[in-house]
Amino acid sequence: MTTAKMHADELDIDEPLVRRLIASQFPQWAALPVSAVASAGTDNAMYRLGEDMAVRLPRVPGSARQVDKEQRWLPRLGPHLPMAVPVPLGLGVPGAEFGLPWSVYGWLDGANLYDEPLTELAGAAVELGGFVAALRKVDATGGPASYRGGPVATRDADVREAIRALGADGTVDADLATGAWESVLRLPQWQGDPVWVHSDLLPGNILADRGRLSAVIDFGALGVGDPAVDVMAAWTLFTAETRGLFREAAEVDDDTWARGRGWALAFGLTADHYYRIVNPVNPVLAGIGRRAVKEALHDIQGLPTA
């Protein structure tokens, strides 16, 4: 995991700051130990508070809007979902030492899938697919728009820039990647009502405990839109042999499945480009991006994943 700053406007956050914030705003927890939680996340810093809580602080001002959204919607969504999600226990307010809102959550046991990759993919594919289907079925009235809930075509300029750079360094075949991407742009778009989507079902946002999926975390990108973005997990997490299990459990049609594959290609190309070439401070996300590209191209063009 990286501890380097990933953004030009990233705030200074450390354990002493978190201790002072807790002592000031939640004195009932002031005696509890605070320890940093290693994470490849780009938007928030995580600290464990005692044995049973976690403190989550935005790394950059642009991430502050996630706090109120999670505080409002997670208690409403959680009872409808088949896996555990974070439960807000406290809302920190901006102050002189830290000018953004922040949260205290209940601690969720388990290791994220960056640190402990799944070994039994079939069961996990069914469980995560079921989570995606359940989230989509919760009443979305009043839900905020997800920044990944619109057409994947909105990423066109960034994807083409990534293809040029990755083609130049030999990471991808630029002609094949361009052809695959253009096939994505021709797909029929979502015509249904907006539905709830997590929008960021990457390995670092999913926990497993004793080999079984146990929780989904980091709902900062939560919103309503096209359900295809959550199908992206089929190519960031699973294999050609287990994707079908995920799809069946997620209950998606052919067009949604194809758009999800397009999201995986777009995410993979741009993540590898940005986090390995443009701003090389997050090799974990760059690696997940490369895997997503290989898996998506395997399905779109019949290319080998090895």
Side-chain angles (χ1 to χ4, degrees):
M1 297 297 178
T2 180
T3 57
K5 288 188 175 183
M6 289 177 276
H7 313 280
D9 59 346
E10 188 160 339
L11 304 174
D12 292 320
I13 303 173
D14 56 19
E15 291 178 12
L17 171 65
V18 176
R19 291 191 189 98
R20 293 194 299 272
L21 292 174
I22 291 295
S24 173
Q25 298 193 32
F26 300 101
Q28 69 272 31
W29 299 329
L32 296 175
V34 172
S35 58
V37 178
S39 171
T42 60
D43 291 340
N44 297 276
M46 290 283 294
Y47 291 81
R48 189 163 187 173
L49 176 62
E51 292 296 318
D52 301 319
M53 290 178 285
V55 182
R56 189 166 184 258
L57 306 96
R59 290 179 180 270
V60 294
S63 298
R65 67 179 69 93
Q66 300 176 10
V67 175
D68 287 339
K69 178 169 61 176
E70 291 188 339
Q71 291 273 340
R72 176 183 179 184
W73 290 106
L74 279 172
R76 304 187 192 189
L77 294 173
H80 301 283
L81 302 176
M83 293 168 58
V85 300
V87 175
L89 301 178
L91 173 61
V93 299
E97 283 209 273
F98 192 74
L100 303 176
W102 48 281
S103 294
V104 180
Y105 293 99
W107 180 260
L108 291 169
D109 287 328
N112 73 70
L113 303 187
Y114 287 140
D115 294 334
E116 293 190 17
L118 291 167
T119 56
E120 203 288 294
L121 290 177
V126 173
E127 289 181 88
L128 190 61
F131 175 89
V132 167
L135 177 61
R136 188 176 69 242
K137 294 172 184 176
V138 180
D139 181 9
T141 302
S146 167
Y147 85 104
R148 284 187 181 140
V152 70
T154 59
R155 271 51 178 183
D156 186 49
D158 291 338
V159 168
R160 292 184 187 275
E161 180 183 357
I163 290 173
R164 286 192 292 271
L166 298 176
D169 77 359
T171 303
V172 300
D173 182 313
D175 290 337
L176 285 172
T178 298
W181 175 241
E182 290 178 348
S183 74
V184 170
L185 298 179
R186 294 191 294 269
L187 292 169
Q189 295 305 300
W190 176 247
Q191 299 299 320
D193 292 333
V195 298
W196 282 111
V197 287
H198 179 281
S199 299
D200 206 20
L201 288 177
L202 298 174
N205 295 332
I206 303 169
L207 304 183
D209 187 21
R210 289 169 288 185
R212 290 183 58 87
L213 294 187
S214 59
V216 175
I217 61 174
D218 194 346
F219 283 73
L222 174 74
V224 300
D226 178 358
V229 67
D230 279 354
V231 179
M232 180 171 69
W235 294 272
T236 59
L237 276 170
F238 301 115
T239 61
E241 295 75 24
T242 55
R243 272 194 280 279
L245 297 170
F246 173 83
R247 178 180 180 176
E248 181 178 2
E251 303 174 17
V252 296
D253 60 30
D254 291 347
D255 289 341
T256 301
W257 184 252
R259 290 194 307 278
R261 187 170 55 213
W263 270 109
L265 181 63
F267 164 78
L269 289 165
T270 56
D272 190 21
H273 175 226
Y274 185 79
Y275 289 111
R276 184 171 58 84
I277 298 175
V278 177
N279 188 22
V281 296
N282 199 323
V284 175
L285 275 180
I288 293 295
R290 285 193 299 279
R291 182 191 190 279
V293 171
K294 290 180 180 179
E295 295 289 338
L297 288 178
H298 171 270
D299 281 5
I300 296 173
Q301 300 280 3
L303 299 180
T305 56

